[in-house]
Amino acid sequence: MKNEEMKSEKQRINKERTKRQVKTVERKHIFLIGFMGAGKSTVAAELARQTQRTVIEMDARIEREEQKKISDIFADFGEAYFRSLETKLLETIGEEPAAIVSCGGGAAMREENRDIMHVEGYTVLLTAKPNTIYERVRFSTERPILNQNMSVEYIQELMEKRRPAYEAAADFIVWTDGKNVSQISQEILEQIEGNSGR
Ligand code: S3P
């Protein structure tokens, strides 16, 4: 390679690196998305511990702001209203210091929400087999979407329906079946490190 070419190649590499670093800083939050029972809250707590960040638990925030339980918001105002609360919350997320955001299971369904996640950080899809999900959520009465539909078949069907949106939102996917929480968070941190040039 000629001197001139080497110089411009070096400049190109440096430019790329700077772009990457700026991007890494900008994309600051870590969004955990995925089906109910995928382990978002548990993994968020572990990631927060490891990264010294706070957790933004979307459902809890919404409950606090509305002074109502999620199931009551669904019952009193319907799902569409709840979805608009999720979007409203995500619209303010850029103002918060770098956090681990544990998203409600349906938050990645709206394109505008996915766009916000993409701009504001990394998005990690936590997933598991429908059977595993069922075992984790079967005794829960706090999830209006599953209240009348607590079965592996329904979970499988809804997961399948949601899969394209989850995958569209995700920078990467982490399977959680048979893994413990520290293995999962380690995997996430490694992926983010490896993906920080994206
Ligand atoms: C929902 C998931 C719930 C909660 C609401 C709706 C969904 O959050 O936001 O009940 O549509 O998947 P979790 O995924 O934390 O259970």
Side-chain angles (χ1 to χ4, degrees):
M1 210 185 258
K2 281 196 222 135
N3 255 356
E4 208 58 48
E5 284 174 1
M6 262 167 70
K7 213 168 134 194
S8 79
E9 176 66 357
K10 248 187 186 164
Q11 276 172 346
R12 192 190 62 77
I13 292 170
N14 278 341
K15 233 176 169 174
E16 285 288 321
R17 184 179 304 137
T18 313
K19 228 160 76 188
R20 245 188 2 242
Q21 285 162 340
V22 169
K23 256 192 177 165
T24 311
V25 174
E26 279 172 359
R27 307 180 80 214
K28 54 189 182 170
H29 291 306
I30 299 176
F31 295 93
L32 299 182
I33 60 164
F35 205 78
M36 296 160 271
K40 293 165 294 197
S41 304
T42 316
V43 173
E46 175 63 14
L47 275 177
R49 196 184 64 76
Q50 287 194 24
T51 58
Q52 316 271 306
R53 293 184 182 196
T54 52
V55 174
I56 300 174
E57 185 74 51
M58 284 185 60
D59 285 350
R61 273 283 182 101
I62 289 172
E63 286 187 333
R64 200 174 71 208
E65 270 158 31
E66 295 298 296
Q67 303 269 302
K68 252 180 198 287
K69 288 179 81 71
I70 302 287
S71 47
D72 292 332
I73 299 174
F74 268 72
D76 294 352
F77 305 114
E79 181 174 349
Y81 178 77
F82 173 73
R83 298 297 171 204
S84 66
L85 294 177
E86 287 185 312
T87 301
K88 224 167 80 186
L89 170 56
L90 283 168
E91 279 167 354
T92 65
I93 218 100
E95 294 151 26
E96 310 249 355
I100 313 296
V101 186
S102 175
C103 299
M109 293 307 110
R110 277 195 181 182
E111 189 178 5
E112 55 193 311
N113 296 357
R114 296 196 292 272
D115 289 345
I116 293 171
M117 291 173 195
H118 194 71
V119 170
E120 301 294 346
Y122 290 98
T123 305
V124 183
L125 169 60
L126 296 182
T127 193
K129 292 186 187 124
N131 237 321
T132 311
I133 297 284
Y134 174 72
E135 288 304 326
R136 291 176 188 162
V137 300
R138 59 188 293 193
F139 298 116
S140 160
T141 52
E142 303 281 305
R143 293 178 166 105
I145 299 277
L146 293 178
N147 274 354
Q148 314 298 322
N149 304 297
M150 195 57 88
S151 71
V152 181
E153 291 70 29
Y154 183 80
I155 288 171
Q156 181 161 16
E157 207 175 289
L158 187 56
M159 281 181 91
E160 210 38 57
K161 215 162 116 195
R162 287 182 169 187
R163 195 153 64 99
Y166 283 143
E167 291 184 354
D171 288 310
F172 49 89
I173 302 173
V174 174
W175 282 87
T176 62
D177 305 85
K179 292 179 191 159
N180 66 36
V181 66
S182 76
Q183 286 172 317
I184 297 166
S185 16
Q186 200 45 45
E187 209 174 301
I188 292 171
L189 293 175
E190 279 168 16
Q191 289 272 14
I192 287 178
E193 221 170 10
N195 272 257
S196 61
R198 269 193 12 90

